[in-house]
Amino acid sequence: QVQLVESGGGLVQPGGSLRLSCTAPKNTLRYYAIGWFRQAPGKEREGISCMSARALITNYLATVEGRFTVARDDANNTAYLQVDNLKPEDTAVYYCALPSRLSYWCPSEDEYGYWGQGTRVTVSA
């Protein structure tokens, strides 16, 4: 079982920024692609980004591209989601996730099997 621990959410004003962190067990993260998801109140979960192992490929949901940036520090088993220029519609619980099976490449959403506990981001004036 892979336990992911998230942190970094909070309340910010529109236009503000946060950095979300996702820490995996020692010597785990480097072998996996990592996905980021969010679920807004009353809405379904949506995938917002995925970074392959070794950061070879990164993709973003169109509505966040240019404002959100993913990064990974495999040596410290931590991935990051930098969220800038936040808008009220970005309000959601944000989750990181790893594929159920060892996978360098970004899988389909149903192949993610390990999830963080979620961190809440609220964007409000």
Side-chain angles (χ1 to χ4, degrees), residues 40-98:
K43 296 187 177 181
E44 293 188 357
R45 185 179 65 201
E46 65 177 353
I48 55 175
S49 182
C50 179
M51 175 178 276
S52 70
R54 299 176 63 191
L56 297 176
I57 296 175
T58 305
N59 54 52
Y60 295 93
L61 182 70
T63 55
V64 307
E65 191 161 17
R67 300 188 297 121
F68 290 11
T69 306
V70 297
R72 59 191 301 151
D73 179 355
D74 291 337
N76 289 300
N77 300 289
T78 302
Y80 302 97
L81 177 66
Q82 176 71 33
V83 293
D84 296 320
N85 191 20
L86 283 162
K87 304 175 181 181
E89 53 264 41
D90 295 318
T91 295
V93 178
Y94 285 70
Y95 299 91
C96 60
L98 298 184

Side-chain angles (χ1 to χ4, degrees), residues 16-37:
S17 298
L18 288 170
R19 189 176 75 159
L20 311 183
S21 299
C22 174
T23 301
K26 187 177 180 181
N27 295 325
T28 299
L29 189 63
R30 70 180 69 246
Y31 303 110
Y32 288 89
I34 184 161
W36 288 91
F37 297 80

